[in-house]
Amino acid sequence: MVAPASYKPVLGVSMGDPGGIGPEVIVKALAERDVRLMAKWRIHGVRSALERAAAAARIEPFWWRVGAGSGLVDTTTAHDVVLVDHEHEPSDTSVHAAGDTKLGGALSFRFVEDAIADAMRTADDPLRTSGLVTGPISKAAWALAGRGKYPGHTELLATRFRAKRSGMMFVTPRLRVILATAHVPLMEVRNVLTIGRIHDAIDLGVEACRSLGVAAPRVAVCGLNPHAGEGGLLGDEDERLIEPAIRVARDQVAASGGEVSGPWPADTIFGKAVEGAFDLVVAMYHDQGLIPVKLLDRDEAVNVTVGLPSVRTSPDHGTAFDIAGRNRAHPGSMASAMRLAARMAVTVEATSTR
Protein backbone atom coordinates (compact mmCIF):
# COMPACT_ATOMS: atom_id res chain seq x y z
CA MET A 1 0.00 0.00 0.00
CA VAL A 2 1.26 3.50 -0.86
CA ALA A 3 0.07 6.95 0.04
CA PRO A 4 -2.84 8.03 -2.20
CA ALA A 5 -2.23 10.67 -4.85
CA SER A 6 -4.41 13.08 -2.87
CA TYR A 7 -2.31 12.67 0.29
CA LYS A 8 -1.05 15.92 1.78
CA PRO A 9 1.52 15.77 4.55
CA VAL A 10 1.20 18.14 7.48
CA LEU A 11 4.42 20.12 7.90
CA GLY A 12 5.51 22.52 10.60
CA VAL A 13 7.18 25.82 9.71
CA SER A 14 9.17 27.77 12.29
CA MET A 15 9.27 31.46 11.43
CA GLY A 16 12.87 32.00 12.47
CA ASP A 17 13.90 35.33 13.97
CA PRO A 18 10.86 37.65 13.62
CA GLY A 19 13.21 40.56 12.96
CA GLY A 20 14.85 38.82 10.02
CA ILE A 21 13.59 37.92 6.56
CA GLY A 22 11.95 34.66 7.71
CA PRO A 23 8.40 36.09 7.84
CA GLU A 24 8.83 37.65 4.40
CA VAL A 25 10.13 34.56 2.60
CA ILE A 26 7.51 32.35 4.28
CA VAL A 27 4.67 34.62 3.16
CA LYS A 28 6.05 34.93 -0.37
CA ALA A 29 6.76 31.19 -0.71
CA LEU A 30 3.31 30.13 0.47
CA ALA A 31 1.72 32.77 -1.75
CA GLU A 32 2.86 30.55 -4.63
CA ARG A 33 -0.15 28.35 -5.24
CA ASP A 34 1.80 25.20 -6.12
CA VAL A 35 3.76 25.41 -2.87
CA ARG A 36 0.71 26.07 -0.73
CA LEU A 37 -1.17 23.09 -2.16
CA MET A 38 1.63 20.56 -1.67
CA ALA A 39 0.96 20.17 2.06
CA LYS A 40 -0.90 21.49 5.06
CA TRP A 41 1.35 24.07 6.67
CA ARG A 42 1.44 24.89 10.38
CA ILE A 43 3.47 28.06 10.97
CA HIS A 44 4.87 28.77 14.42
CA GLY A 45 5.43 32.52 14.59
CA VAL A 46 3.99 35.91 15.46
CA ARG A 47 1.06 37.45 13.66
CA SER A 48 2.41 40.98 13.45
CA ALA A 49 5.57 39.84 11.63
CA LEU A 50 3.58 37.90 9.02
CA GLU A 51 1.11 40.74 8.56
CA ARG A 52 3.87 43.32 8.10
CA ALA A 53 5.59 41.12 5.52
CA ALA A 54 2.35 40.50 3.64
CA ALA A 55 1.46 44.19 3.62
CA ALA A 56 4.88 45.18 2.28
CA ALA A 57 4.61 42.58 -0.48
CA ARG A 58 0.95 43.46 -1.19
CA ILE A 59 -0.14 39.91 -0.47
CA GLU A 60 -3.57 39.33 1.02
CA PRO A 61 -3.28 37.22 4.21
CA PHE A 62 -4.21 33.63 3.39
CA TRP A 63 -3.66 31.89 6.71
CA TRP A 64 -5.95 30.90 9.55
CA ARG A 65 -4.79 32.08 12.97
CA VAL A 66 -5.00 30.34 16.33
CA GLY A 67 -3.33 31.40 19.55
CA ALA A 68 -0.47 29.27 20.82
CA GLY A 69 -1.57 27.28 23.84
CA SER A 70 -5.24 28.01 23.24
CA GLY A 71 -6.16 24.36 22.88
CA LEU A 72 -7.81 25.07 19.53
CA VAL A 73 -4.96 24.04 17.25
CA ASP A 74 -6.55 20.65 16.58
CA THR A 75 -9.66 22.40 15.22
CA THR A 76 -7.69 23.96 12.34
CA THR A 77 -6.73 20.79 10.46
CA ALA A 78 -9.11 21.61 7.61
CA HIS A 79 -7.07 24.68 6.68
CA ASP A 80 -4.09 24.53 4.33
CA VAL A 81 -2.13 27.21 6.20
CA VAL A 82 -2.45 27.83 9.93
CA LEU A 83 -0.51 30.32 12.04
CA VAL A 84 0.07 29.21 15.62
CA ASP A 85 0.44 32.72 16.99
CA HIS A 86 3.04 33.33 19.70
CA GLU A 87 2.52 37.11 19.59
CA HIS A 88 4.57 38.67 22.39
CA GLU A 89 2.91 42.07 22.67
CA PRO A 90 1.26 43.44 19.51
CA SER A 91 2.37 46.95 20.47
CA ASP A 92 5.96 45.90 21.22
CA THR A 93 7.93 46.96 18.13
CA SER A 94 11.09 45.27 19.49
CA VAL A 95 9.68 42.02 18.12
CA HIS A 96 10.55 43.34 14.67
CA ALA A 97 13.99 44.71 15.53
CA ALA A 98 16.29 43.90 12.62
CA GLY A 99 19.28 42.74 14.63
CA ASP A 100 20.47 40.35 17.30
CA THR A 101 18.12 40.66 20.28
CA LYS A 102 17.34 38.56 23.32
CA LEU A 103 13.62 38.63 22.43
CA GLY A 104 14.23 37.54 18.84
CA GLY A 105 16.41 34.71 20.05
CA ALA A 106 13.90 33.56 22.65
CA LEU A 107 10.97 33.63 20.23
CA SER A 108 12.79 31.92 17.36
CA PHE A 109 14.00 29.19 19.72
CA ARG A 110 10.46 28.66 20.99
CA PHE A 111 9.11 28.39 17.43
CA VAL A 112 11.60 25.64 16.61
CA GLU A 113 10.98 23.79 19.86
CA ASP A 114 7.22 23.72 19.24
CA ALA A 115 7.69 22.57 15.64
CA ILE A 116 9.99 19.78 16.82
CA ALA A 117 7.48 18.76 19.48
CA ASP A 118 4.78 18.38 16.83
CA ALA A 119 7.06 16.22 14.68
CA MET A 120 7.77 13.98 17.68
CA ARG A 121 4.12 13.29 18.48
CA THR A 122 2.80 9.74 18.12
CA ALA A 123 1.28 8.63 14.82
CA ASP A 124 -2.27 8.68 16.23
CA ASP A 125 -1.99 12.26 17.51
CA PRO A 126 -4.00 14.67 15.29
CA LEU A 127 -1.35 17.37 15.86
CA ARG A 128 1.53 15.25 14.61
CA THR A 129 3.47 16.63 11.64
CA SER A 130 5.53 14.72 9.10
CA GLY A 131 8.43 17.12 9.41
CA LEU A 132 9.43 20.74 9.62
CA VAL A 133 10.81 23.61 7.58
CA THR A 134 12.84 26.06 9.62
CA GLY A 135 13.20 29.77 8.98
CA PRO A 136 16.55 31.50 9.51
CA ILE A 137 17.72 32.21 13.05
CA SER A 138 20.55 34.23 14.54
CA LYS A 139 23.03 32.20 16.55
CA ALA A 140 24.05 35.38 18.38
CA ALA A 141 20.42 36.04 19.33
CA TRP A 142 20.08 32.47 20.61
CA ALA A 143 23.14 33.09 22.78
CA LEU A 144 21.62 36.34 24.11
CA ALA A 145 18.50 34.34 25.02
CA GLY A 146 20.57 31.78 26.92
CA ARG A 147 20.48 29.17 24.16
CA GLY A 148 24.12 29.42 23.07
CA LYS A 149 24.62 25.73 23.83
CA TYR A 150 23.33 25.03 20.33
CA PRO A 151 25.40 26.40 17.39
CA GLY A 152 22.37 26.08 15.15
CA HIS A 153 19.29 24.10 14.13
CA THR A 154 21.23 20.97 13.18
CA GLU A 155 22.66 20.45 16.64
CA LEU A 156 19.35 21.21 18.39
CA LEU A 157 17.46 18.79 16.15
CA ALA A 158 19.99 16.01 16.72
CA THR A 159 19.67 16.51 20.49
CA ARG A 160 15.88 16.64 20.60
CA PHE A 161 15.40 13.64 18.29
CA ARG A 162 18.20 11.74 20.09
CA ALA A 163 19.78 11.01 16.73
CA LYS A 164 22.85 8.79 16.97
CA ARG A 165 24.07 10.21 13.66
CA SER A 166 23.01 13.28 11.78
CA GLY A 167 24.42 15.56 9.14
CA MET A 168 23.98 18.72 7.12
CA MET A 169 23.26 18.18 3.42
CA PHE A 170 22.51 20.75 0.73
CA VAL A 171 20.36 20.04 -2.30
CA THR A 172 20.27 22.32 -5.34
CA PRO A 173 19.18 21.83 -8.95
CA ARG A 174 22.82 21.07 -9.83
CA LEU A 175 24.53 19.79 -6.69
CA ARG A 176 24.06 17.61 -3.63
CA VAL A 177 26.65 18.26 -0.94
CA ILE A 178 26.99 16.78 2.55
CA LEU A 179 29.37 18.07 5.19
CA ALA A 180 31.68 15.90 7.31
CA THR A 181 31.96 18.78 9.80
CA ALA A 182 29.58 21.70 10.07
CA HIS A 183 29.67 24.50 12.63
CA VAL A 184 33.28 24.02 13.66
CA PRO A 185 35.97 26.73 13.62
CA LEU A 186 38.29 26.22 10.66
CA MET A 187 41.33 25.79 12.91
CA GLU A 188 39.55 22.96 14.74
CA VAL A 189 38.48 20.95 11.69
CA ARG A 190 41.61 18.78 11.59
CA ASN A 191 41.13 18.01 15.30
CA VAL A 192 37.52 16.83 15.05
CA LEU A 193 37.77 15.08 11.69
CA THR A 194 37.91 11.29 12.13
CA ILE A 195 37.58 8.21 9.96
CA GLY A 196 34.20 7.51 11.55
CA ARG A 197 32.93 11.03 11.01
CA ILE A 198 33.86 10.95 7.33
CA HIS A 199 32.33 7.50 6.90
CA ASP A 200 29.09 8.65 8.56
CA ALA A 201 28.86 11.59 6.15
CA ILE A 202 29.26 9.26 3.17
CA ASP A 203 26.76 6.75 4.55
CA LEU A 204 24.14 9.35 5.52
CA GLY A 205 24.56 11.09 2.18
CA VAL A 206 24.01 7.86 0.25
CA GLU A 207 20.90 7.13 2.31
CA ALA A 208 19.56 10.63 1.65
CA CYS A 209 20.25 10.36 -2.09
CA ARG A 210 18.20 7.18 -2.22
CA SER A 211 15.32 8.90 -0.43
CA LEU A 212 15.53 11.56 -3.14
CA GLY A 213 15.24 8.98 -5.90
CA VAL A 214 18.92 8.27 -6.70
CA ALA A 215 19.05 4.49 -6.31
CA ALA A 216 22.78 4.00 -6.99
CA PRO A 217 24.52 7.26 -6.09
CA ARG A 218 27.99 8.11 -7.36
CA VAL A 219 29.81 9.76 -4.49
CA ALA A 220 32.88 12.00 -4.72
CA VAL A 221 34.77 12.67 -1.48
CA CYS A 222 36.76 15.91 -1.17
CA GLY A 223 40.24 16.04 0.24
CA LEU A 224 40.93 18.31 3.18
CA ASN A 225 44.17 19.84 1.95
CA PRO A 226 45.09 21.54 -1.34
CA HIS A 227 45.43 18.95 -4.13
CA ALA A 228 44.05 16.36 -1.66
CA GLY A 229 47.36 16.44 0.17
CA GLU A 230 49.60 15.92 -2.87
CA GLY A 231 50.67 12.50 -1.67
CA GLY A 232 51.38 13.75 1.85
CA LEU A 233 53.42 16.78 0.83
CA LEU A 234 50.61 19.17 1.83
CA GLY A 235 49.27 17.33 4.87
CA ASP A 236 48.66 13.73 5.88
CA GLU A 237 44.94 13.89 6.77
CA ASP A 238 43.86 12.84 3.28
CA GLU A 239 45.82 9.58 3.45
CA ARG A 240 45.46 9.01 7.19
CA LEU A 241 41.74 9.75 7.63
CA ILE A 242 39.88 10.19 4.37
CA GLU A 243 41.24 7.27 2.36
CA PRO A 244 40.42 4.65 5.06
CA ALA A 245 36.86 6.01 5.37
CA ILE A 246 36.43 5.74 1.61
CA ARG A 247 37.70 2.16 1.56
CA VAL A 248 35.16 1.09 4.18
CA ALA A 249 32.28 2.93 2.51
CA ARG A 250 33.20 1.81 -1.00
CA ASP A 251 32.44 -1.86 -0.35
CA GLN A 252 29.18 -1.05 1.42
CA VAL A 253 27.91 1.25 -1.32
CA ALA A 254 29.10 -0.99 -4.16
CA ALA A 255 26.93 -3.83 -2.84
CA SER A 256 23.86 -1.85 -3.88
CA GLY A 257 25.25 -0.49 -7.13
CA GLY A 258 26.69 2.82 -6.00
CA GLU A 259 30.25 4.16 -6.20
CA VAL A 260 32.51 6.07 -3.80
CA SER A 261 35.74 7.67 -4.97
CA GLY A 262 38.36 10.14 -3.74
CA PRO A 263 39.81 11.97 -2.03
CA TRP A 264 39.55 14.50 -4.84
CA PRO A 265 40.97 18.05 -4.90
CA ALA A 266 38.07 20.25 -3.88
CA ASP A 267 38.91 22.93 -6.43
CA THR A 268 38.07 20.61 -9.33
CA ILE A 269 35.54 18.05 -8.11
CA PHE A 270 32.54 20.38 -7.83
CA GLY A 271 32.84 21.27 -11.51
CA LYS A 272 32.71 17.59 -12.43
CA ALA A 273 29.69 17.07 -10.19
CA VAL A 274 27.87 19.95 -11.87
CA GLU A 275 28.63 18.36 -15.24
CA GLY A 276 26.89 15.18 -14.05
CA ALA A 277 29.81 12.91 -13.15
CA PHE A 278 28.68 12.57 -9.52
CA ASP A 279 25.41 12.55 -7.59
CA LEU A 280 26.86 13.62 -4.25
CA VAL A 281 29.95 15.47 -3.02
CA VAL A 282 31.20 14.95 0.53
CA ALA A 283 32.91 18.12 1.78
CA MET A 284 35.20 18.13 4.78
CA TYR A 285 34.16 21.47 6.26
CA HIS A 286 31.46 24.11 6.07
CA ASP A 287 32.78 26.63 3.54
CA GLN A 288 34.37 24.00 1.32
CA GLY A 289 30.86 22.74 0.58
CA LEU A 290 28.82 25.91 0.94
CA ILE A 291 30.77 28.24 -1.33
CA PRO A 292 29.98 26.29 -4.54
CA VAL A 293 26.40 25.68 -3.40
CA LYS A 294 25.68 29.36 -2.81
CA LEU A 295 27.68 30.56 -5.80
CA LEU A 296 25.79 28.34 -8.23
CA ASP A 297 22.27 28.11 -6.79
CA ARG A 298 21.90 30.66 -4.03
CA ASP A 299 18.18 31.20 -4.52
CA GLU A 300 17.25 27.52 -4.86
CA ALA A 301 19.53 25.71 -2.41
CA VAL A 302 17.98 23.73 0.44
CA ASN A 303 19.55 22.61 3.71
CA VAL A 304 18.44 19.10 4.70
CA THR A 305 19.20 17.52 8.07
CA VAL A 306 19.89 13.85 7.39
CA GLY A 307 19.82 11.06 9.95
CA LEU A 308 16.66 12.22 11.75
CA PRO A 309 13.43 10.19 12.09
CA SER A 310 11.58 13.19 10.64
CA VAL A 311 11.96 15.39 7.56
CA ARG A 312 13.69 18.73 8.13
CA THR A 313 14.62 21.29 5.51
CA SER A 314 15.46 24.97 5.54
CA PRO A 315 16.58 27.72 3.16
CA ASP A 316 20.34 28.05 2.88
CA HIS A 317 20.46 31.73 3.87
CA GLY A 318 20.49 33.57 7.16
CA THR A 319 18.36 36.28 8.74
CA ALA A 320 19.64 39.04 6.42
CA PHE A 321 18.88 41.73 8.98
CA ASP A 322 20.28 44.33 6.58
CA ILE A 323 17.33 43.95 4.20
CA ALA A 324 14.65 42.77 6.65
CA GLY A 325 11.37 44.68 6.47
CA ARG A 326 12.17 46.17 3.06
CA ASN A 327 10.37 43.65 0.82
CA ARG A 328 13.68 42.79 -0.87
CA ALA A 329 14.12 39.15 0.16
CA HIS A 330 13.98 36.48 -2.55
CA PRO A 331 11.73 33.57 -1.51
CA GLY A 332 13.31 31.01 -3.87
CA SER A 333 15.30 29.07 -1.28
CA MET A 334 12.37 28.92 1.17
CA ALA A 335 9.99 27.81 -1.59
CA SER A 336 12.48 25.13 -2.63
CA ALA A 337 12.79 24.00 1.01
CA MET A 338 9.03 23.69 1.29
CA ARG A 339 8.68 21.80 -1.98
CA LEU A 340 11.45 19.39 -1.05
CA ALA A 341 10.05 18.80 2.46
CA ALA A 342 6.64 17.99 1.00
CA ARG A 343 8.11 15.57 -1.56
CA MET A 344 10.28 13.88 1.05
CA ALA A 345 7.36 13.54 3.46
CA VAL A 346 5.22 11.88 0.79
CA THR A 347 8.07 9.49 0.00
CA VAL A 348 8.52 8.61 3.68
CA GLU A 349 4.79 8.02 4.06
CA ALA A 350 4.69 5.80 0.96
CA THR A 351 7.65 3.77 2.22
CA SER A 352 6.24 3.34 5.72
CA THR A 353 2.85 2.08 4.48
CA ARG A 354 4.17 -0.58 2.14
Side-chain angles (χ1 to χ4, degrees):
M1 179 181 177
V2 297
S6 59
Y7 170 74
K8 280 188 180 182
V10 180
L11 293 169
V13 181
S14 59
M15 177 181 283
D17 196 300
I21 62 171
E24 180 181 338
V25 294
I26 289 170
V27 166
K28 288 179 176 178
L30 287 176
E32 298 181 27
R33 182 174 172 79
D34 73 299
V35 177
R36 192 160 72 244
L37 296 180
M38 289 184 77
K40 290 182 178 293
W41 306 98
R42 187 180 303 153
I43 305 169
H44 292 273
V46 290
R47 175 184 58 198
S48 58
L50 279 191
E51 290 177 347
R52 283 163 60 98
R58 298 186 177 181
I59 294 172
E60 187 73 22
F62 49 78
W63 54 86
W64 187 267
R65 176 196 167 273
V66 63
S70 69
L72 298 176
V73 178
D74 59 351
T75 68
T76 63
T77 54
H79 300 278
D80 283 336
V81 183
V82 174
L83 168 64
V84 181
D85 186 9
H86 296 255
E87 189 69 61
H88 180 64
E89 288 288 344
S91 60
D92 187 353
T93 58
S94 65
V95 171
H96 313 115
D100 299 321
T101 67
K102 181 178 179 180
L103 178 57
L107 286 171
S108 59
F109 193 87
R110 172 71 185 278
F111 302 155
V112 179
E113 287 276 54
D114 285 3
I116 292 173
D118 284 350
M120 294 181 68
R121 293 177 185 273
T122 58
D124 59 347
D125 191 320
L127 295 182
R128 179 182 179 273
T129 60
S130 298
L132 60 156
V133 181
T134 57
I137 57 95
S138 162
K139 297 174 180 61
W142 274 18
L144 289 172
R147 303 296 185 174
K149 173 183 177 182
Y150 303 102
H153 283 116
T154 304
E155 294 79 6
L156 174 63
L157 288 157
T159 300
R160 293 292 183 263
F161 281 106
R162 298 184 176 89
K164 293 181 179 179
R165 304 184 306 164
S166 63
M168 186 181 291
M169 180 171 171
F170 293 84
V171 178
T172 84
R174 290 180 281 186
L175 280 174
R176 298 181 192 89
V177 179
I178 191 167
L179 307 181
T181 65
H183 298 128
V184 177
L186 185 58
M187 293 297 289
E188 291 296 317
V189 169
R190 71 185 303 274
N191 298 324
V192 302
L193 203 60
T194 63
I195 295 171
R197 197 160 188 165
I198 298 164
H199 175 270
D200 281 350
I202 299 170
D203 192 41
L204 288 168
V206 167
E207 184 179 315
C209 281
R210 288 173 177 152
S211 73
L212 294 170
V214 184
R218 300 160 298 165
V219 182
V221 182
C222 289
L224 174 66
N225 296 297
H227 308 291
E230 197 76 76
L233 294 175
L234 300 177
D236 68 350
E237 293 84 4
D238 304 272
E239 294 181 350
R240 181 168 55 85
L241 301 175
I242 302 174
E243 287 185 7
I246 290 172
R247 285 196 296 269
V248 174
R250 183 179 287 136
D251 292 340
Q252 296 171 336
V253 175
S256 55
E259 300 175 0
V260 182
S261 62
W264 297 98
D267 60 352
T268 60
I269 200 60
F270 287 98
K272 293 180 180 179
V274 169
E275 292 169 358
F278 300 101
D279 302 299
L280 174 70
V281 177
V282 181
M284 293 300 106
Y285 57 92
H286 187 278
D287 286 9
Q288 185 184 62
L290 268 292
I291 288 173
V293 164
K294 293 190 176 185
L295 179 65
L296 292 170
D297 292 303
R298 180 185 64 181
D299 292 331
E300 296 179 89
V302 179
N303 177 5
V304 182
T305 303
V306 296
L308 301 179
S310 181
V311 171
R312 182 266 173 159
T313 68
S314 77
D316 79 331
H317 57 70
T319 53
F321 288 132
D322 58 321
I323 63 169
R326 302 181 185 181
N327 193 35
R328 290 172 52 190
H330 194 293
S333 187
M334 175 58 82
S336 294
M338 289 178 165
R339 290 187 181 100
L340 184 60
R343 290 196 298 268
M344 291 178 70
V346 169
T347 299
V348 169
E349 179 67 18
T351 302
S352 64
T353 55
R354 284 175 183 169

